[in-house]
């Protein structure tokens, strides 16, 4: 029997801060690994940075980090940090000097880019031997009955409302053109223990959920919330959730040309 509380509560009406509140955080090991590949630790650039989830982790390894996103709302919710600056800019037009970045990342964002133009911009701003990393996390994994109900929702119920670009994320960007000397990264995953509110709050941030609501199919969302609430048990119970992290990592070999760039 479905929980009446789950039916009454609108878990999907989280407001403008939902992205910053509910999106899963990347593990520190991801930033440490990417920093270990860079030719130096002078400057890292996080493109399509959102609210700075990866940017702030990179700050522990680089002298300076710049995060750029075209959304003013995302930048407004980025947490300030001493050696991180944020700005509104598209991935294809970065306000950076040429040959200034030792590491360029795009986390859960590259599927929105005009990739040929973005790659041209990467080549412009990359320092000699810089690293480019396109990072994504796959479909979340839940165990048992919870996992079965989630997969039905993801692939068959909300699935038609995902934009076409979502297929690139589901494949770990494996099908996109990546014209760089490619490196293979180690297995890394996001591992969290979430309450029901956090789980459904995360789902509320999906573009597919917004599309379903705009199409008048909010019933799909509330039915899923009610169905998942029963096997979840007490809403405050924490269940283990994992997201496998996928990476396309490339090195931009270049002749050593002096870098005329000073941060600030």
């Amino acid at each position: 029997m479905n929980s009446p509380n789950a039916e009454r509560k609108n878990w999907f009406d989280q407001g403008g801060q939902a992205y910053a509140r509910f999106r899963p955080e990347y593990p520190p090991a991801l930033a440490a690994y990417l920093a270990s590949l860079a030719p130096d630790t002078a400057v890292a650039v996080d493109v399509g940075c959102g609210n700075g989830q990866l940017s702030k982790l990179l700050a522990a390894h680089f002298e300076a980090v710049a995060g750029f996103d075209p959304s003013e709302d995302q930048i407004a919710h980025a947490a300030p940090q001493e050696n991180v600056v944020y700005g509104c800019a598209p991935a294809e037009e970065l306000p950076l000097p040429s040959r200034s970045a030792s590491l360029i990342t795009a986390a859960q964002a590259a599927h929105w880019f005009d990739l040929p133009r973005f790659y041209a911009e990467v080549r412009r701003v990359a320092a000699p031997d810089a690293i480019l990393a396109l990072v994504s996390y796959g479909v979340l994994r839940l165990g048992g009955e919870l996992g079965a109900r989630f997969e039905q929702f993801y692939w068959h119920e909300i699935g038609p409302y995902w934009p076409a670009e979502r297929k690139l994320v589901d494949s770990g960007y494996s099908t996109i053109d990546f014209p760089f000397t490619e490196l293979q990264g180690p297995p890394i995953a996001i591992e969290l223990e979430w309450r029901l509110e956090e789980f459904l709050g995360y789902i509320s941030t999906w573009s597919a959920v917004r599309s379903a609501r705009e199409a008048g199919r909010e019933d799909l969302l509330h039915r899923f919330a009610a169905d998942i609430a029963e096997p979840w048990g007490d809403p405050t119970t924490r269940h283990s959730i994992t997201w496998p992290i996928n990476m396309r990592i490339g090195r931009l070999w270049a002749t050593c040309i002096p870098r005329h760039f000073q941060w600030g």
Side-chain angles (χ1 to χ4, degrees):
M1 183 174 179
N2 293 333
S3 164
N5 288 334
E7 292 174 352
R8 282 199 300 267
K9 181 177 177 65
N10 187 353
W11 298 93
F12 299 96
D13 187 16
Q14 300 287 350
Q17 297 183 356
Y19 197 100
R21 182 180 177 192
F22 294 116
R23 281 279 165 152
E25 299 280 343
Y26 295 102
L30 172 62
Y33 171 69
L34 295 177
S36 74
L37 299 177
D40 58 52
T41 57
V43 177
V45 179
D46 190 19
V47 186
C49 67
N51 57 31
Q53 290 180 321
L54 181 55
S55 309
K56 65 185 182 183
L57 294 178
L58 293 172
H61 303 279
F62 286 85
E63 296 171 27
V65 176
F68 297 107
D69 197 279
S71 169
E72 292 184 3
D73 183 61
Q74 291 283 7
I75 294 297
H77 288 101
Q81 197 155 330
E82 184 177 352
N83 61 332
V84 182
V85 295
Y86 293 102
C88 285
E92 302 81 5
E93 298 177 20
L94 299 173
L96 291 169
S98 297
R99 297 184 174 270
S100 60
S102 304
L103 172 68
I104 303 159
T105 62
Q108 205 74 352
H111 50 291
W112 300 118
F113 299 169
D114 179 332
L115 285 176
R117 291 181 60 208
F118 171 62
Y119 289 158
E121 190 69 338
V122 166
R123 291 187 177 97
R124 182 186 70 80
V125 303
D129 304 338
I131 289 291
L132 169 65
L134 308 184
V135 179
S136 63
Y137 49 85
V139 182
L140 68 84
R141 296 172 182 171
L142 268 168
E145 188 177 351
L146 292 171
R149 183 62 185 91
F150 170 77
E151 290 187 13
Q152 171 68 22
F153 175 70
Y154 183 86
W155 295 110
H156 303 290
E157 296 171 18
I158 204 70
Y161 297 96
W162 283 110
E165 293 86 352
R166 178 66 194 186
K167 293 180 180 179
L168 299 177
V169 178
D170 289 339
S171 70
Y173 296 146
S174 63
T175 60
I176 69 170
D177 181 43
F178 195 71
F180 306 100
T181 301
E182 192 154 5
L183 309 175
Q184 295 300 317
I188 301 176
I190 300 171
E191 300 177 350
L192 297 174
E193 303 237 336
W194 265 356
R195 301 184 299 270
L196 181 61
E197 179 184 13
E198 294 165 314
F199 172 70
L200 293 175
Y202 161 66
I203 291 175
S204 79
T205 68
W206 290 357
S207 59
V209 165
R210 292 194 299 274
S211 296
R213 296 178 74 170
E214 291 167 0
R217 292 306 313 273
E218 202 159 354
D219 60 300
L220 289 175
L221 313 177
H222 296 305
R223 187 183 312 126
F224 172 68
D227 286 352
I228 205 77
E230 184 174 354
W232 195 281
D234 185 331
T236 64
T237 298
R238 294 183 179 274
H239 289 277
S240 296
I241 304 174
T242 62
W243 293 259
I245 291 178
N246 301 301
M247 294 179 280
R248 298 294 301 274
I249 303 171
R251 189 176 297 279
L252 286 83
W253 300 108
T255 56
C256 292
I257 298 176
R259 186 167 29 166
H260 303 294
F261 176 61
Q262 184 175 357
W263 194 260

